[in-house]
Amino acid sequence: MILKLTRIDKTLPLPQYQTSGSVAFDIYSRIDIVIKPKTIELIPTNLIVQVPKGYMLMVAARSSTPIKKGLILRNGIGIIDQDYCGPDDEINLQAYNFTENDVKVARGERIGQAVLVKIAKVKFDEIERTEEKSRGGFGSTG
């Protein structure tokens, strides 16, 4: 599959898979940025992506980002829709600094990862009551 994308700053690398078994490709910060403690900043990733029909692009923090940087994605993951690909639709990561110190992110630093996910659109059929038995949740299975 070919993923069409635009890099805003052509001096930064294309996204890449770090190993042959990687399912997500790494994405980079386009700028140097300092994130103050307990605040959220948008980190521009340098990418505008044309997500193929039938897919979404899911962005997430790299697994090492909370440990190494003290940052998490405030919304957990980002969902990039198929129609978010205009000339000003750069993907940004919504990063939250959960530490007590300033966190510096360098231009070109790998700060996130993205994966294409196949999706299905549904039609809704509302029913009055489900006939299934409740099984519980939040640890109910042990």
Side-chain angles (χ1 to χ4, degrees):
M1 175 182 288
I2 304 294
L3 183 63
K4 293 182 180 181
L5 57 82
T6 301
R7 284 181 295 159
I8 294 164
D9 180 345
K10 305 268 194 256
T11 64
L12 289 170
L14 283 166
Q16 61 183 4
Y17 295 94
Q18 295 299 312
T19 69
S20 61
S22 296
V23 298
F25 53 85
D26 286 341
I27 50 183
Y28 307 85
S29 174
R30 182 171 54 80
I31 62 171
D32 289 323
I33 189 169
V34 175
I35 304 173
K36 298 286 183 195
K38 311 296 185 214
T39 62
I40 299 171
E41 293 287 345
L42 295 178
I43 302 174
T45 67
N46 198 43
L47 298 175
I48 300 169
V49 177
Q50 290 183 347
V51 177
K53 284 202 177 298
Y55 289 84
M56 71 168 198
L57 185 69
M58 183 172 62
V59 294
R62 295 178 65 229
S63 59
S64 62
T65 300
I67 294 168
K68 289 183 178 178
K69 301 299 285 185
L71 298 175
I72 58 173
L73 292 191
R74 192 64 180 130
N75 55 341
I77 61 165
I79 294 175
I80 310 304
D81 296 314
Q82 297 165 14
D83 56 357
Y84 186 74
C85 59
D88 297 320
D89 292 339
E90 179 179 10
I91 295 170
N92 287 278
L93 296 179
Q94 190 180 146
Y96 175 69
N97 175 358
F98 62 82
T99 74
E100 301 297 329
N101 304 305
D102 288 357
V103 172
K104 295 176 184 174
V105 176
R107 178 183 173 280
E109 186 173 348
R110 293 182 297 151
I111 196 70
Q113 58 185 333
V115 62
L116 277 174
V117 178
K118 193 156 184 62
I119 55 105
K121 291 220 175 176
V122 299
K123 293 184 180 187
F124 300 97
D125 181 14
E126 185 175 16
I127 58 176
E128 287 301 315
R129 187 165 198 266
T130 180
E131 298 301 320
E132 299 298 319
K133 192 169 131 182
S134 295
R135 64 157 265 232
F138 296 99
S140 65
T141 61

